[in-house]
Amino acid sequence: LRSCSPGRARRTNASRRACLVARFGDIYAQERLDAETLLKTYISDIEMVQRIIYIAAVESFHAAKMAYRQFKIRVRDTLSLGHSGPESLEDTVLDYIVRHEDLYDVQGSVNEVIRSMNINPKISFPPEIDFIVISTLIRELCRVAFSMQTLVPPLDIAFGTDGELFSETKYHRSFDSDFTAALVAYHVWPALMENDVVIVKGEAVTKR
C-alpha cells in the first residue's frame, strides 16, 4: 500500500483557518455595520434591520454550503477518471478546490440568498427596495462560508431560534438587551462553530 502524504490543503489548513476566522470577525465589524447603516435609510425599525442581516448571514452559509457540495461532486467525478495517487482522491479533490476557489459561482449564491430572503415570513422590506442593496455583505459571507467548507473539519454557524434559552457560551448580549432576561428575543449575528464547539461568539438580544 502506498502511504498517502497529506495534500497541500491539509498542510495549509491551520493558516487558512486562522485567516477565515479573522475574516468572519472583520465582516461582523465592517460589512455588517455598513449594511445596517444602509438598511436604516429605508427601515426605521432597528429590530427588523438586525433580523434582515442575521437572516442574510444564515442564508449565505446555507447557499455556500450547497454550492460547495455540488462543486465538490463535479470535481470528484472529473478527477476520479484519471486519479492514480500518491494522494488519496479526497485530498486531491480538496487541493483542487482550494487552488481553484475562484471558480465558485458566488453570484449564483447571492441570487439564491436574495430569493430565499424574499419569501422569508420573518422579515419584510419596503416594496420599492430590494435585498440586493446588501449584496456586498451577502457576497462576502458566501465567499467566507464557501472557503470554510474546505477546512478539516469545516466551520459552520450555530442554529438559532427566537425564544431559545440564552447561552453565555454562544452569544454576547446586545447593549439594548434586558440583561436579566433568560430568553433570546432575536439574533443579531450567528456564532461560529467547529465540531459543535463555539469558536467565535455571536450576538443576540434578550428581552422579557
Side-chain angles (χ1 to χ4, degrees):
L1 285 174
R2 270 186 297 204
S3 63
C4 292
S5 61
R8 183 174 174 276
R10 288 181 187 272
R11 290 197 304 273
T12 61
N13 196 71
S15 59
R16 289 187 299 110
R17 179 186 180 278
C19 287
L20 289 167
V21 171
R23 181 71 191 114
F24 185 75
D26 290 343
I27 293 171
Y28 170 77
Q30 187 62 58
E31 282 90 347
R32 177 186 70 92
L33 292 180
D34 291 346
E36 197 172 278
T37 302
L38 192 59
L39 288 173
K40 281 177 184 171
T41 62
Y42 305 108
I43 303 169
S44 57
D45 180 3
I46 184 63
E47 178 179 329
M48 183 56 69
V49 166
Q50 291 180 327
R51 279 182 180 276
I52 287 169
I53 289 171
Y54 176 75
I55 287 168
V58 171
E59 292 294 349
S60 294
F61 265 78
H62 179 69
K65 286 191 297 181
M66 290 288 289
Y68 178 80
R69 280 199 285 271
Q70 290 160 3
F71 190 71
K72 189 175 181 181
I73 288 167
R74 290 199 302 273
V75 171
R76 188 190 289 116
D77 287 349
T78 303
L79 296 183
S80 64
L81 299 173
H83 179 72
S84 59
E87 293 176 2
S88 69
L89 178 60
E90 279 304 301
D91 276 358
T92 305
V93 168
L94 199 55
D95 284 354
Y96 181 92
I97 296 172
V98 168
R99 283 200 306 272
H100 298 92
E101 281 188 53
D102 56 316
L103 296 177
Y104 165 42
D105 175 20
V106 67
Q107 188 56 48
S109 288
V110 171
N111 296 343
E112 190 60 45
V113 171
I114 291 169
R115 264 197 302 275
S116 296
M117 291 176 72
N118 281 331
I119 58 170
N120 191 305
K122 285 189 178 177
I123 52 177
S124 58
F125 216 36
E128 68 277 11
I129 309 301
D130 192 279
F131 287 120
I132 203 160
V133 297
I134 57 167
S135 59
T136 300
L137 171 70
I138 295 168
R139 179 173 284 102
E140 291 310 304
L141 281 165
C142 286
R143 279 191 208 283
V144 81
F146 185 90
S147 296
M148 282 176 173
Q149 304 316 300
T150 69
L151 298 173
V152 183
L155 301 184
D156 200 359
I157 53 172
F159 178 73
T161 55
D162 293 353
E164 70 179 320
L165 197 63
F166 177 78
S167 166
E168 294 280 359
T169 57
K170 263 190 195 175
Y171 302 107
H172 298 289
R173 275 187 171 90
S174 288
F175 71 92
D176 55 345
S177 290
D178 177 344
F179 279 70
T180 63
L183 301 180
V184 172
Y186 64 94
H187 299 80
V188 175
W189 195 248
L192 191 64
M193 314 282 285
E194 182 180 66
N195 279 344
D196 296 328
V197 176
V198 177
I199 55 172
V200 179
K201 282 187 181 184
E203 187 180 337
V205 175
T206 54
K207 286 181 182 171
R208 287 192 176 279

